[in-house]
Amino acid sequence: MKSASSCFTFMNQNQNQNQNQNLLSWQILFFFVVLLLLLATATTSPSPTPSPHCSLLLRLRSTLAFTTHSTKLLTWTPHSPCCNFSGVTCDPTTGLVVAIDLSSETLAGPLPSSSPLFLLNSLRSLNLANNSFNSTIPEAIAALSNLVSLNLSNSGLNGTVPRAVAELRRLVVLDLTSNLASFYGEIGLTLGKNSSLGELVSDLTELEELILDGVMINETGREWGNAVARLRRLRILSMVDCGLTDGIDEVLSDLEMVTTIRLDQNELRCNVSGFLSEFRNLSVLTMSFCGLQGVFPERMFRIGTLVTLDLSANPSLKGTLPEFGKDGAIQELNLHGTGFSGMVPESIGWLRGLRIVKLSHCEFEGRIPGSIGRLGGLEYLDLQWNRFSGPVPSFELAKNLEQLILSWNQLSGSIENVRWGSLSSLVYLDLSNNSMNGSIPMSLFSIPSLQKLQLQQNRFSGQLGDSLGVVSRVIDTIDLSDNELEGRIPELLFRLGGLKTLTLSFNKFDGSLSLNLLQQLKHLSALDLSYNNLAIDASGTSSNLSSFPQLVSLKLARCRLRQLPGFLKNQSKLSNLDLSDNFISGAIPSWILEVGHALNLSHNNFVSLEGSLASAELSILDLHSNNLQGQLPKFPPQATYLDLSNNTFSSTISSLINNFTVFLSLSKNNISGSIPESLCSRSFLQVLDLSHNNLSGSVPPCFISLSQSLTFLNLRDNVLNGPVPEIFAANCTLSTLDFSENFLDGPVPRSLANCTMLEVLNLGKNRLKDTFPDWLRSLSNLRVLVLRSNQFHGNISCHQANVTWPLLQIVDIALNHFEGRLMAKCFSKWPAMISSGRGLPKATPLQFSFLLFEPIYYQNMILVTFKGLELELLKILTVFTSLDISNNNFSGVIPRELGNLDGLLVLNFSHNALSGPIPSSIGNLTELESLDLSYNKLSGEIPEGLVGLTFLSTLSLAFNRLTGRIPDGAQFATFSNSSFLGNKGLCGFPLTNPCGAPNGTAAAPSGNFNPTPETGSVIGFDWQFIFTGAGFGLGMGIIVAPLMFWKKARKWYNKEADMLVANMIQRFGIVYTGLDDKGTEKEGDKEDEDEADEPQGGRFCVFCTKLDSGMKRIIHDPMCTCHGSSTISLSSSPLSTTE
């Protein structure tokens, strides 16, 4: 049994093993069968049928015009599978072409409807962007009915968008951007007159992205809003520069899925509606240049998904920045050119993702928040042209900051404690036009990535370090001009091999500097060292000419140069050369006339001109204040600015200027003859100054054509005669008209009322005969009216109750024959003479600019009688006010309303027949500096209120009928007895008449020139007066004789007199100089009586200025000295000329 059992067991085991082996065999067999079937299927299945699209693609390639810059079409060859063509995508199942991307392939020529492209009806995506097709969108595009994405942006396709586009109902993305066409002045896409946005998109209900930038839609907010609101799936809406108008309709609130709205450059002219803040997914909102108005809703800043907000260039849009929360997502904030104001909150630091901040040209104020400097992701910060104050915060944590622009603010304090070295990514730093002080930290020059450093127009002082340490190798621009830096210019600056622009003008750098150092700066293109205390050495620069850099601009004004730098002969790129205000003499060489654009050699000692200006290509030429003589040269044919004033040219004016000249000044020469009528055809001429010459004849009547372009016309101090013709056109553009000091006669032409922009009118010192031109009150911009020394007559009335001269600040009608009473209401119509009525800030020069692309300022000048001297205001300030009606026949009392003109500085009513008391209201004229009421019939006592005029430095009440005690104290203690002579009833200091009479009046005078009933004498002699007169005559002889015959004594007297006057008028920052000796005698002199009537004296300049062409503004220059001719600087030289 046991053996049988064992056998059975063994047999079972064998059976099990056989069964397992059989099962494994079947499994292996099954596996191989399946594998064979798969292999058989794979080997027997047919290859994809060749698609007809391959041939279509090759045909398409043959019809397209492209260049070798194409990268995709070059791969389309017959030997390559068409689905492998670059820019082609095929369906993996069918092999049909479903996408073509030929963007930026330099494609050109037409795209006709017969193109094989429109036979590819399986296309789902077509991108032809950034090409140069020159045709309309073909109607055949409707055949591509399966398109989901169509991108034709900036493809060169133009004309009307066809209805066929509206039939592409499966479109999800439509981009027809056409803004490059308008940029290049070409015609782009438009919807056409008979179509609308609604018709275009009404069937495109699947659209998620609609981009129509530059497509002319020309619809109102309601029209395009209703069309877009139907696209409920829309996420991106971009319609930049589409001619949209009249706001944003709230129907857009139906677009619940929208994330991006771009509506820039449309004339929306509306308030920003708060419904935009209800878009829960909004991430991008840009509406620059849209004419937005009102107050921007603060809640817009709190949209949690908002990443980009651009409201720039909407100056009427107001608003403030709110307190930001920690959940803010804003990365780009652009409010440039808006009316946003207030302070930037510290909470701006919670916007951790902030990368770009542009708050320039707004009205922000206060301190720059320190938290903004701790934004680690900040890349660009522009806060220029605001009113930020206080110190510059630290930006040590803003390690990604590339551009930091804080110019044109009111920032102050030192920047030495700012850790500049930590800004390792900084490329551009602009702190210019602030009030920062202290030293310039040398760590600025060590920022490795820094390329441009602009610190001009601040108050930085001290010396630049002799050692700059490790400096940036890529720095190419350094501008430290208009500061108070001193000492020597470190030679290490000339070792910055990558330097292209170096500007150090208007500082206090001193010492000598050799121009041979420029040989180390191989890439230098612009150098400005003007207006320092430098002595530039140009010797040795004539050798090794090729080693000097090729400059574009070189400015070495007032650098004590005594010769022309020799290396200039080899400068082929030089466009702007300023060597003015130096000591260079001799002839102007012909090679220097090869400068391409601007040449300023003014204020030197050149005596002649080599070569011909007629072949020069100069646009700006300034040779004024030299010793050039002889015939006027023929001017450069392309010149727009020509100044040859203050020389000794002696020829006549012929047809010398071209048709494009904007500025021409030949003043202060010896030019004679008549004014040529050929000037009348120069329609671009804006400034014409022929003053201080010997021009004769009449004013050409054809000047009526010039009055439509001229802004400044000065014919002063010539010998012109005849009447002033009716030369002022209906659209007269004149701002300044000066015909003074000639022999013009007749009435004032009534057409002058056409010059509504006129600010300065000077007709003084002629022979004009007319009544007061009350009709000029229609000139609301008039600031200066001078009619002195003519033959005007009659009364002055103020009949037009509602017409005033709101800006009139200087009135001079002295030395005429006006008569009648002074009307009280006249003095209430000049608000500019009232302190509270001045609309402009103090010390604003009365000037205008010309040349649109390179503005140059031109200053007005005028003669005024000020403190007994005739002085020439070279710079008329809006703060200077003067009223002079002296030497007429006015009678009656002085109106008390005169006291309302409390902004007056000069008041002269002398030599009239005014009577009655001095009105006490004159004591209200608290800014008065000169008061002359002499030679009238004024009576009564001197008002005590005049003692309170603390600025009064000149007073004359002489030869009236005043009585009583002279007030004492304050300014009255400084006046001499000449201020009170000829008033028999006055007593007290400084007169010798004691106030000793019992009744408190003055003691009776001891002598009298006139017979009186009381004495009964008809003729009496007062020997005291006789001896006094004789003594005075003898003393004057002793003083005057040396001045007439002893040259050294005359110079000493002139110097002392000038110093006295200068000290008297320092309150204005006025600079005073004597008359120069370069004047020439006229062929005909004025009448002797005119010369006798006019007080003589020097001239002065309210303040000297310079022009910064980079920033185009006037800046005070305390170093310059004025003389009689305005000068226009070529960028950085003073506007007021120097001697």
Side-chain angles (χ1 to χ4, degrees), residues 1105-1119:
T1105 55
K1106 61 180 179 290
L1107 175 65
D1108 170 26
S1109 69
M1111 294 319 209
K1112 310 298 188 287
R1113 70 165 187 166
I1114 297 294
I1115 310 160
H1116 175 57
D1117 178 12
M1119 296 188 291

Side-chain angles (χ1 to χ4, degrees), residues 967-1006:
D968 54 7
Q971 293 298 99
F972 270 68
T974 65
F975 300 135
S976 66
N977 60 351
S978 62
S979 298
F980 307 100
L981 287 177
N983 291 281
K984 296 181 294 183
L986 285 180
C987 64
F989 181 82
L991 296 178
T992 57
N993 298 341
C995 296
N999 58 2
T1001 60
S1006 58

Side-chain angles (χ1 to χ4, degrees), residues 898-925:
L898 181 65
N900 295 332
L901 307 181
D902 58 351
L904 267 178
L905 302 179
V906 179
L907 179 61
N908 190 348
F909 280 12
S910 65
H911 293 87
N912 280 287
L914 299 171
S915 58
I918 299 174
S920 59
S921 61
I922 291 183
N924 299 331
L925 308 183

Side-chain angles (χ1 to χ4, degrees), residues 132-348:
S132 300
F133 293 109
N134 186 19
S135 63
T136 59
I137 300 176
E139 290 284 351
I141 200 171
L144 305 180
S145 57
N146 291 310
L147 277 179
V148 175
S149 176
L150 176 61
N151 187 350
L152 303 179
S153 63
N154 295 315
S155 58
L157 296 171
N158 52 53
T160 303
V161 178
R163 175 65 185 171
V165 175
E167 297 176 12
L168 304 176
R169 294 179 175 84
R170 297 185 180 182
L171 278 179
V172 175
V173 176
L174 176 61
D175 189 346
L176 301 180
T177 297
S178 184
N179 50 19
L180 281 184
S182 59
F183 179 81
Y184 290 112
E186 301 173 354
I187 300 175
L189 291 171
T190 178
L191 291 186
K193 296 181 179 179
N194 300 320
S195 183
S196 66
L197 183 61
E199 294 176 355
L200 176 65
V201 302
S202 59
D203 293 332
L204 306 182
T205 56
E206 301 295 318
L207 272 180
E208 296 182 10
E209 298 183 18
L210 178 61
I211 306 173
L212 302 177
D213 298 350
V215 179
M216 282 298 99
I217 297 175
N218 297 321
E219 293 184 357
T220 65
R222 180 171 294 277
E223 291 169 340
W224 67 263
N226 285 330
V228 172
R230 302 170 188 168
L231 308 176
R232 299 303 177 88
R233 297 173 180 266
L234 200 64
R235 295 184 298 102
I236 296 176
L237 173 64
S238 184
M239 293 194 295
V240 175
D241 191 20
C242 290
L244 307 180
T245 59
D246 298 335
I248 306 173
D249 198 275
E250 293 193 9
V251 69
L252 291 180
S253 60
D254 293 340
L255 302 177
E256 297 180 354
M257 300 178 65
V258 72
T259 62
T260 300
I261 298 177
R262 293 191 178 96
L263 300 174
D264 310 84
Q265 302 177 45
N266 288 291
E267 293 292 331
L268 300 180
R269 298 190 180 281
C270 65
N271 295 342
V272 179
S273 178
F275 80 87
L276 293 174
S277 63
E278 298 175 4
F279 290 121
R280 293 172 295 178
N281 301 309
L282 189 64
S283 62
V284 176
L285 176 62
T286 67
M287 293 192 292
S288 62
F289 293 95
C290 285
L292 300 179
Q293 305 165 355
V295 179
F296 187 75
E298 283 191 5
R299 63 178 181 270
M300 293 291 296
F301 292 101
R302 299 191 178 96
I303 300 176
T305 56
L306 192 62
V307 174
T308 299
L309 177 62
D310 185 353
L311 305 173
S312 60
N314 288 291
S316 298
L317 181 64
K318 310 298 181 182
T320 57
L321 292 179
E323 292 293 334
F324 294 98
K326 297 182 180 181
D327 55 347
I330 296 179
Q331 296 181 15
E332 181 177 348
L333 177 62
N334 189 352
L335 302 179
H336 163 82
T338 64
F340 273 75
S341 59
M343 300 179 66
V344 177
E346 280 286 340
S347 58
I348 196 173

